[in-house]
Amino acid sequence: AESFPYHYTNMNQWIVDNAQEWKIRYVLHTGDIVDDVDMVGQWKNADEAMQIFDEAGMPYGVLGGNHDVYAGAEGYGNYWKYFGEDRFADQETYGGSYQNNLGHYDLLTENGQDLIILYMSWDIYTDEVEWINSVLEQYPERTAIICIHGGINASAVPSYQSELLMEQVAKTHENVLAILNGHFHGSSLN
């Protein structure tokens, strides 16, 4: 019997297959790697889909969304098992990690511009903001893009996390170019 083609796998394969023509050099993932945190099969499918990038040498970053953690951020066990720091540590762009890849940053240079891409998983509070600020202070000359899960929704209403990052990070670091997020359905309509 023919196996069911997974959209996740197909998307990642398309990226790798079209990387040269479309000049794709890096991939960002803003969370919800899986839909159901306790479904091991979904984690295995996600692992297989992301291995397409690993095998092709395509650098990428991920973060844990609300579907990737147990209620109240009590458990990142599956996220850490499949997407912890050890998966990325040898990636040439990987700069460092916060709590086993709950947050991390990548360093890359494109068209002569030095970039830093910072990722932070679902629950962002004081400790996470302090870590982000400490990394940005190490790389003030790099243009920064911050990736989070919950941010501005489809109606352009900011979340607690996006307001926190605007007030306590972006306003004090001129090199922050953008804060990108996932989480909200319907954003493409706007």
Side-chain angles (χ1 to χ4, degrees), residues 41-97:
Q42 290 183 17
W43 286 102
K44 289 181 179 177
N45 290 337
D47 177 45
E48 181 180 313
M50 297 308 263
Q51 280 181 20
I52 292 168
F53 295 148
D54 296 332
E55 292 168 5
M58 171 65 71
Y60 66 99
V62 301
L63 58 85
N66 62 307
H67 285 257
D68 303 321
V69 301
Y70 287 97
E74 291 294 322
Y76 278 92
N78 284 328
Y79 175 80
W80 283 328
K81 177 179 179 182
Y82 291 96
F83 295 96
E85 181 177 12
D86 59 337
R87 183 180 191 129
F88 300 92
D90 292 334
Q91 193 170 275
E92 68 179 44
T93 57
Y94 197 73
S97 173

Side-chain angles (χ1 to χ4, degrees), residues 5-22 24 27 45-58 60:
Y6 292 101
H7 192 58
Y8 197 168
T9 303
N10 291 341
M11 287 189 309
N12 290 0
Q13 190 62 56
W14 185 93
I15 290 169
V16 166
D17 292 346
N18 290 276
Q20 186 170 359
E21 181 181 349
W22 286 78
I24 302 168
V27 179
N45 290 337
D47 177 45
E48 181 180 313
M50 297 308 263
Q51 280 181 20
I52 292 168
F53 295 148
D54 296 332
E55 292 168 5
M58 171 65 71
Y60 66 99

Side-chain angles (χ1 to χ4, degrees), residues 121-187:
S121 292
W122 177 239
D123 288 314
I124 300 173
Y125 297 105
T126 304
D127 291 346
E128 290 76 18
V129 168
E130 288 175 358
W131 182 82
I132 291 169
N133 280 329
S134 73
V135 172
L136 288 172
E137 287 160 14
Q138 291 175 52
Y139 299 97
E141 75 290 349
R142 288 181 172 265
T143 300
I145 298 170
I146 300 172
C147 299
I148 61 174
H149 187 59
I152 296 174
N153 72 16
S155 301
V157 177
S159 68
Y160 168 80
Q161 288 97 346
S162 60
E163 286 187 334
L164 183 69
L165 291 172
M166 285 299 294
E167 291 297 317
Q168 296 185 19
V169 177
K171 282 188 176 181
T172 59
H173 294 91
E174 292 180 5
N175 59 327
V176 175
L177 173 69
I179 299 174
L180 307 178
N181 69 274
H183 188 58
F184 294 104
H185 298 267
S187 298

